[in-house]
């Protein structure tokens, strides 16, 4: 049951402290063009590198779980599988872009974020709500757009913590006239803890290493860029399916980009090749899965007049299964798409529209569209409304994996509405949004994939950001009502009520913060063997605390404690979560 007293305490705290709104955030991905955050007709959150570092989250899933409208379920600790649910959507209903490139496994149908190191991330933009009219398949619930590091100076970092956690990374940059070079590299590992005591007595840890090389070259015909990323690792896990309980991972990405301002037109092109590899293994067995994606995108944008802006582009990608445990009936498919969007502003009124046509060689055409309108009620008040459609093509596993496949599956489709009102001034941002989404042909199943006739998702997001002198705070409350219309049951692992609060104090050389994250009791779905409902995950509140101290202009020390009061809880049935744990980190960057 939701605890109103707990919410009242946090709301009261928000009225006296909150987050710094003095720096204007720019959205890059919500409209595919750089737009001031307050002018975007969607619910978005932007975290810059300083925000990411200040939060001292243990990993990327833990960081995302602090944001409005996002819930997390995880099968253990750092390195183990984590499910990210934006506004009640499935993990696969959120498109993950890394440096503008579609990312994720073609067999699973989503990007696993557990082994994507925070140390490699410069910026995160989360768009809540459909964006298929600009990005195509997968963006039913939202978009998670990640920009990797391009440090402008030498930077060294190191960290140690509970459960044998240790890591170090380095970032360097060099400029010479028109050429700029960037490099990042790091290693990380942990012994972990036993995530399923009923299965194995061992600890479940991880290790990984990564390297990134990038170059930008400015010419009279635009800026050319090249980039290569390699992220490899290993993690242990516990499962009741078979005997395999370890996995090797490898992710590679190669990018070539070009952008050029020609008159009033901004041109961009991006060519990429990505590889997603995971091989699970155990005594006497090994299950490899390797998928690849080649992608090309081009777009042109222009402010045609002071009131009207225009965007148009094309997108092509080829997905394929390069290696698998078993033979798939089909191992590749091609998607071709064109899209366009317009934005019109006249005095207090702003209108926005986008449409996209995707041609998938297995399904033919898919049309998606998005409409939005906003009106400035007063100097600080804005009301907006939007409606959009989206789809997700079935994955290779859904269609062709032996014993589970269903070649007759239809793409998942959705129609979403949102109405929001916001108040914004120099020290206070308050936002209230209602959203509603109907998903038809939702793909579910244990023994075989099948289309569910209808799933409904409705919710409310309320957030407050406020700055008062050296105190700041962010507060977010999300209410969700989900239903599988075929069974009348809720969708699994989506808590009805969740709260995230963070209060901080910043002095000249030091700062401190306190966090509190609450989830109500949560439906966990059905037992795959018996068909009976699993026990509800109990409600819980997890507190955290952190400090940082700037020793000098080059050296900063940070320390944190997660799960401060050693709360015993879980977000995925039978899987343990970390108890009280600490971390200490050093950052060195000579000026």
């Amino acid at each position: 049951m939701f605890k109103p007293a707990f919410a009242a305490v946090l709301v009261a705290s928000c009225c006296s402290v909150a987050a710094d709104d003095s720096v204007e955030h720019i959205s890059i991905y919500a409209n595919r063009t750089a737009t001031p955050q307050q002018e975007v007709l969607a619910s978005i959150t932007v975290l810059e590198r300083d925000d990411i570092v200040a939060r001292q989250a243990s990993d990327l899933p833990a960081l995302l779980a602090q944001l409005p409208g996002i819930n997390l379920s995880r099968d253990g600790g750092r390195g183990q599988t984590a499910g990210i649910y934006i506004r009640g959507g499935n993990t696969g209903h959120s498109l993950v872009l890394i440096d503008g490139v579609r990312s994720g496994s073609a067999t699973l149908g989503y990007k696993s974020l557990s082994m994507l190191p925070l140390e490699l991330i410069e910026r995160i933009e989360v768009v809540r709500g459909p964006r298929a009219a600009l990005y195509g398949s997968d963006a039913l619930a939202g978009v998670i757009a990640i920009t990797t590091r391009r440090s402008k100076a030498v930077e060294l970092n190191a960290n140690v913590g509970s459960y044998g956690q240790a890591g170090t990374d380095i970032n360097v940059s060099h400029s010479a006239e028109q050429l700029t070079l960037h490099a990042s590299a790091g290693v990380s590992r942990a012994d972990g803890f036993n995530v399923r005591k009923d299965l194995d007595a061992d600890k479940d840890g991880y290790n990984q290493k990564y390297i990134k090389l990038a170059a930008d070259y400015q010419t009279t015909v635009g800026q050319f860029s090249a980039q290569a990323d390699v992220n490899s690792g290993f993690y242990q896990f516990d499962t009741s399916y078979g005997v395999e309980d370890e996995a090797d991972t490898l992710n590679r990405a190669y990018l070539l980009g070009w952008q050029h301002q020609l008159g009033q037109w901004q041109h961009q092109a991006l060519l990429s090749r990505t590889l997603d590899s995971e091989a699970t293994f155990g005594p006497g067995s090994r299950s490899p899965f390797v998928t690849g994606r080649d992608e090309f995108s081009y777009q042109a944008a222009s402010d045609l007049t002071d009131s009207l802006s225009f965007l148009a582009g094309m997108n092509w990608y080829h997905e394929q299964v390069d290696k698998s445990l078993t033979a798939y009936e089909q191992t590749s498919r091609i998607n071709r798409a064109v899209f366009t969007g317009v934005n019109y502003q006249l005095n207090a009124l702003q209108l926005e529209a986008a449409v996209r046509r995707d041609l998938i060689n297995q399904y033919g055409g898919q049309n998606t569209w998005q409409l939005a309108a906003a009106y400035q009620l007063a100097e600080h008040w804005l009301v907006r409304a939007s409606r959009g459609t989206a789809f997700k093509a079935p994955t290779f596993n859904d269609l062709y994996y032996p014993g589970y496949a269903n070649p007759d599956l239809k793409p998942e489709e959705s129609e979403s509405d949102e109405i929001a009102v916001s108040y914004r001034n120099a020290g206070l941002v308050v936002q209230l949004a209602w959203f509603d989404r109907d998903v038809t042909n939702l793909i579910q199943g244990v023994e075989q994939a099948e289309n569910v006739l209808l799933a409904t998702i409705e919710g409310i997001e309320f957030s407050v950001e406020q700055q008062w002198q050296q105190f700041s705070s962010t507060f977010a409350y999300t209410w969700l009502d989900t239903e599988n219309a075929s069974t009348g049951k809720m969708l699994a692992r989506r808590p009805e009520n969740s709260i995230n609060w963070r209060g901080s104090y910043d002095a000249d050389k030091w700062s401190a913060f306190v966090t509190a994250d609450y989830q109500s009791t949560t439906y966990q779905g059905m037992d795959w063997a018996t068909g009976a409902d699993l026990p509800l995950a109990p409600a819980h509140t997890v507190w955290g605390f952190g400090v940082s101290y700037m020793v000098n202009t080059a050296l900063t020390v940070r320390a944190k404690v997660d799960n401060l009061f050693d709360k015993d809880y879980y977000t995925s049935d039978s899987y343990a979560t970390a108890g009280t744990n600490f971390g200490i980190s050093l950052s060195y960057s000579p000026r």
Side-chain angles (χ1 to χ4, degrees), residues 114-443:
S114 298
M115 293 290 281
L116 183 60
L118 271 179
E119 294 80 5
L120 189 58
I121 297 175
E122 185 70 30
R123 189 177 191 273
I124 301 172
E125 182 175 337
V126 178
V127 185
R128 300 185 295 281
R131 237 45 189 174
L134 292 174
Y135 292 104
S137 179
D138 302 350
L140 283 82
V143 174
I144 301 172
I146 295 167
T147 303
T148 57
R149 297 295 309 275
R150 287 197 172 210
S151 178
K152 296 181 180 179
V154 176
E155 182 181 324
L156 296 168
N157 301 287
N159 67 83
V160 295
S162 300
Y163 305 117
Q165 171 66 41
T168 185
D169 63 273
I170 181 172
N171 301 274
V172 297
S173 179
H174 176 71
S175 296
E177 297 182 346
Q178 292 91 359
L179 178 65
T180 303
L181 303 175
H182 306 271
S184 299
V187 295
S188 182
R189 53 92 61 201
D191 297 326
F193 55 90
N194 189 359
V195 301
R196 283 286 297 267
K197 296 180 181 179
D198 58 324
L199 295 177
D200 288 317
D202 64 331
K203 295 180 179 180
D204 299 291
Y206 82 97
N207 62 63
Q208 69 179 156
K209 52 187 176 182
Y210 66 87
I211 185 169
K212 170 187 172 176
L213 302 174
D216 299 319
Y217 187 69
Q218 186 67 50
T219 73
T220 57
V221 293
Q223 178 176 282
F224 294 86
S225 60
Q227 180 175 310
D229 299 280
V230 179
N231 179 18
S232 64
F234 160 84
Y235 69 93
Q236 299 166 303
F237 61 96
D238 288 343
T239 178
S240 55
Y241 299 90
V243 297
E244 295 177 350
D245 60 358
E246 299 178 83
D248 289 325
T249 66
L250 174 64
N251 300 101
R252 294 202 300 256
Y254 307 100
L255 286 68
L256 291 174
W258 168 76
Q259 57 181 345
H260 183 47
Q261 185 75 42
L262 185 62
Q264 65 180 9
W265 288 91
Q266 171 72 40
H267 299 270
Q268 296 180 35
L270 186 62
L271 176 65
S272 66
R273 165 67 175 166
T274 59
L275 174 85
D276 191 291
S277 172
E278 178 161 319
T280 59
F281 59 93
S285 65
R286 187 174 181 87
S287 302
F289 288 92
V290 181
T291 65
R293 183 181 294 107
D294 299 303
E295 182 173 8
F296 175 76
S297 295
Y298 166 78
Q299 70 178 50
S302 175
D303 292 329
L304 299 178
T305 69
D306 291 340
S307 302
L308 179 66
S309 60
F310 175 79
L311 167 76
M314 59 84 65
N315 177 232
W316 174 94
Y317 59 88
H318 174 220
E319 298 178 311
Q320 62 185 28
V321 180
D322 295 321
K323 183 184 295 186
S324 66
L325 170 65
T326 185
Y328 285 71
E329 183 179 333
Q330 298 285 338
T331 59
S332 70
R333 64 184 176 196
I334 294 175
N335 190 100
R336 299 175 295 274
V338 292
F339 58 87
T340 187
V342 294
N343 186 290
Y344 178 74
Q345 189 160 5
L346 179 63
N347 299 324
L349 177 66
Q350 185 178 355
L351 302 174
E352 189 176 271
V355 64
R356 177 172 168 132
R357 170 77 170 173
D358 285 83
L359 289 173
I360 309 173
N361 60 350
Q362 294 167 329
Y363 293 103
Q366 291 285 331
N367 299 321
T368 50
W369 53 266
Q370 184 107 20
L371 296 173
Y375 188 79
Q376 195 80 38
L377 297 173
E379 181 182 1
H380 301 296
W381 289 92
L382 181 75
V383 61
R384 58 178 173 84
S386 63
R387 168 169 285 192
T389 62
F391 79 99
K392 179 178 176 63
T395 69
F396 282 89
N397 282 353
D398 294 333
L399 293 168
Y400 308 121
Y401 191 80
Y404 177 77
N406 182 353
D408 297 324
L409 286 173
K410 300 177 182 179
E412 298 174 303
E413 298 180 345
S414 72
E415 186 169 292
S416 303
D417 296 302
E418 181 176 4
I419 299 174
V421 61
S422 61
Y423 174 87
R424 182 186 297 267
N425 66 22
L428 176 66
V429 179
V430 181
Q431 300 185 76
L432 177 65
W434 166 84
F435 56 89
D436 180 82
R437 180 165 70 255
D438 292 337
V439 184
T440 56
N441 298 323
L442 184 70
I443 297 175

Side-chain angles (χ1 to χ4, degrees), residues 91 253 284 351 353 508 585:
T91 296
L351 302 174
D508 291 336
S585 64

